[in-house]
Amino acid sequence: MTVDLNRRGLMFGAAIVSGSAAWPALAQDGFDRPPEAPPAPAPMPLPLEQTKLANGLRVVVLPRPGAPRTVVRLIGEGGWLRDPAGKDGLAEVALSMLAQGAKRDGEEMESADIAYAGDLLGLPLRLELTPSTAEIVLEALPDQCDDAVNLLADLTQRPLLAFESLEHIRSRAIDALVLRRADALLLAPWAARRQFRGRAQPVQTAASLKRLKREDVLGFHRQYWRPERAVLLFAGDLSLQTARGLAEDFMGGWRVAKLPPAGQAAAPTPAVTLPAAAPTPAVSQFLPLPQGQGCRLIVQTPVPRGTPPALRELARTLMHQRLAARLPWPWESEMESLAGALCWRLSVTLPAAVVPEQLALLREQLPLLAAEAVTPEDLALAQALAQGEWEFQLAEAPDALLSQALATGELEDCVQWPQRVRAVSAPVLQLLMASSWRDGRTHLLLLGDAGPPEPAQRAWPGLASTTMRAVIGE
């Protein structure tokens, strides 16, 4: 699920949990007692339909009758967790190069031609990279879906992947690294992952980008853009039969050379199966960023492998509510799954002057909030919020919701979300929360220009200054 709890989800949750207490005015108008709250509406169905082509391409359709536009996503397995050691950044470069040139009917299309073809569909083509997937996203009117699928086929089956494009994308990526190193908000996610997972976590550096060669891009593309390792996802006003026909027309002949017999079996879904390193021992680090705008404070803790997605989301949601009530800053929260390792992360941006005070308050309150009893009302609130968030995403961006579930191998949990959420009990939820955020399991990372480290170190004993090289290797 997404990180932030949106207003619509909060309103939905409050309506369910508050019950008859939401009707005080009626009692004042002559009623002896407020009427009972109406029953919660039945969750919207998620009528997914799936099929598979002879070449292994999986086609997933979420029919949305009457939807004005159809979203088409082609999802491959080349996420940034697949970056080879020493060549961090290869996944991002390889994905970006797909939009730099391709062939259609023997004629070359340049990047401007590809951008124009996407714009003709109504919205620009999007490239999205996640830990486990690389995705190309287009939106089209119902009668333009054939053009959208045709363009996706061109980019993945007939990309140019030219040397000049590599140099262009590499230069842009190195420029982006320079900006990231000076911005606490941009640097924080990568620094936090490296702190949590150690050197097993790929992190781009200028040196790793400079090592990339065109042969690396070609090999990466052959390995991960394959029909048996891809999903074509439709969300719009079309049937499974129509979607399959489009896939057969433009991708039915998609064939690639066989991979070397190195034990790399094709996976049926784009879920990462790389061996995941165990989280590193809990540490507390302060990374100074001179002249940074504010400070980014992050705390993170491991979550047991195999914890069901619904249980994780309820714990995150309830903790988020408790944190917002006790600490007066807009905290963000997420649970991230990287190759099976689950990380629970809380983060906030603070002005430097309040960092010591907030560190001391966090150190005191965090274990108390996690150990607090989970009442039936707490469980009902968390369930209502999680259900409301799922329904909001399903209404506003169903393709993104399904794409995330496919990427993490949790599609069935997503489809059965209302049932999975209702099945969580208060004792199980309390057990997960109470086992988290203990002193020996909580990592802390502070990035930015917080001034001398001594005040922060007094507020959070064990906080040690570190360097950019020690955190991200450069």
Side-chain angles (χ1 to χ4, degrees):
M1 308 302 290
T2 56
V3 172
D4 295 324
L5 298 170
N6 57 73
R7 184 179 301 273
R8 177 171 175 176
L10 290 171
M11 293 174 62
F12 178 85
I16 294 178
V17 175
S18 59
S20 60
W23 305 89
L26 295 179
Q28 297 172 5
D29 290 339
F31 288 97
D32 292 334
R33 61 176 182 172
E36 293 184 2
M44 292 183 291
L46 194 58
L48 277 188
E49 299 178 314
Q50 303 186 52
T51 188
K52 186 177 288 188
L53 303 190
N55 61 7
L57 178 66
R58 185 178 174 189
V59 181
V60 179
V61 179
L62 177 62
R64 303 185 72 201
R69 300 185 64 81
T70 297
V71 183
V72 188
R73 284 179 179 258
L74 186 57
I75 306 170
E77 290 189 7
W80 50 257
L81 276 179
R82 303 286 190 179
D83 283 343
K87 295 185 177 180
D88 305 24
L90 176 58
E92 181 177 340
V93 169
L95 177 62
S96 299
M97 286 179 65
L98 294 182
Q100 296 300 303
K103 285 188 176 182
R104 173 176 289 181
D105 300 327
E107 299 290 330
E108 291 190 1
M109 296 189 296
E110 298 180 349
S111 58
D113 302 320
I114 294 171
Y116 180 67
D119 291 342
L120 285 178
L121 299 174
L123 290 172
L125 176 145
R126 304 199 311 270
L127 303 176
E128 299 181 6
L129 190 68
T130 77
S132 54
T133 62
E135 307 183 13
I136 312 175
V137 188
L138 288 167
E139 291 190 29
L141 295 172
D143 61 355
Q144 293 178 309
C145 287
D146 54 345
D147 294 329
V149 179
N150 191 18
L151 182 56
L152 293 176
D154 291 333
L155 300 184
T156 52
Q157 297 177 47
R158 295 170 288 277
L160 297 181
L161 303 178
F163 175 79
E164 295 77 12
S165 297
L166 171 59
E167 292 302 303
H168 173 65
I169 297 297
R170 190 206 316 268
S171 176
R172 282 172 38 189
I174 291 175
D175 290 343
L177 285 183
V178 174
L179 296 176
R180 189 172 78 187
R181 289 167 60 99
D183 190 313
L185 197 59
L186 295 175
L187 180 63
W190 298 101
R193 292 180 183 120
R194 176 57 67 91
Q195 181 199 55
F196 187 77
R197 286 170 50 88
R199 297 294 171 175
Q201 171 63 46
V203 175
Q204 291 181 29
T205 64
S208 70
L209 290 170
K210 290 176 181 176
R211 292 190 194 102
L212 301 183
K213 299 178 178 168
R214 182 169 181 262
E215 290 73 20
D216 298 321
V217 177
L218 292 172
F220 195 85
H221 181 269
R222 274 195 306 271
Q223 185 170 5
Y224 295 115
W225 281 109
R226 309 174 63 87
E228 72 274 15
R229 307 184 77 161
V231 177
L232 184 60
L233 171 64
F234 295 86
D237 190 1
L238 80 170
S239 65
L240 179 64
Q241 181 180 3
T242 300
R244 183 183 175 96
L246 292 171
E248 288 280 11
D249 289 344
F250 297 105
M251 298 186 180
W254 187 3
R255 300 287 189 276
V256 290
K258 291 185 178 180
L259 291 172
Q264 301 190 15
T269 67
V272 168
T273 56
L274 295 177
T280 60
V283 295
S284 303
Q285 297 175 308
F286 169 41
L287 176 58
L289 297 177
Q291 301 178 350
Q293 300 297 313
C295 297
R296 190 69 172 171
L297 173 60
I298 302 169
V299 285
Q300 44 194 1
T301 188
V303 176
R305 286 174 178 267
T307 302
L311 176 58
R312 301 193 316 247
E313 179 60 16
L314 292 181
R316 187 200 67 80
T317 299
L318 184 54
M319 189 66 173
H320 190 99
Q321 295 298 302
R322 291 177 175 179
L323 199 67
R326 301 279 184 90
L327 278 76
W329 290 95
W331 286 83
E332 300 171 18
S333 62
E334 66 175 329
M335 282 201 187
E336 186 176 57
S337 175
L338 295 179
L342 298 171
C343 174
W344 190 351
R345 185 175 299 124
L346 307 172
S347 55
V348 66
T349 299
L350 300 169
V354 306
V355 166
E357 173 191 353
Q358 291 301 308
L359 278 175
L361 187 59
L362 181 66
R363 182 167 175 262
E364 172 193 348
Q365 291 293 325
L366 195 56
L368 296 178
L369 295 175
E372 194 173 303
V374 177
T375 66
E377 293 76 17
D378 290 332
L379 176 62
L381 174 63
Q383 289 172 327
L385 291 171
Q387 174 70 21
E389 175 67 13
W390 179 83
E391 292 198 9
F392 177 78
Q393 292 183 66
L394 187 57
E396 297 296 321
D399 61 296
L401 179 67
L402 295 174
S403 170
Q404 182 182 7
L406 284 164
T408 56
E410 296 170 350
L411 183 61
E412 186 61 28
D413 289 282
C414 181
V415 172
Q416 300 293 327
W417 190 251
Q419 296 90 330
R420 302 290 167 89
V421 166
R422 288 196 298 270
V424 175
S425 66
V428 172
L429 180 56
Q430 179 156 7
L431 183 63
L432 175 60
M433 296 188 67
S435 67
S436 308
W437 303 114
R438 298 178 178 176
D439 287 344
R441 295 168 57 84
T442 300
H443 300 246
L444 182 137
L445 180 62
L446 176 63
L447 303 96
D449 189 1
E454 289 79 13
Q457 290 170 335
R458 286 193 293 269
W460 192 286
L463 181 64
S465 296
T466 187
T467 64
M468 191 76 71
R469 180 174 293 277
V471 173
I472 64 171
E474 185 176 73

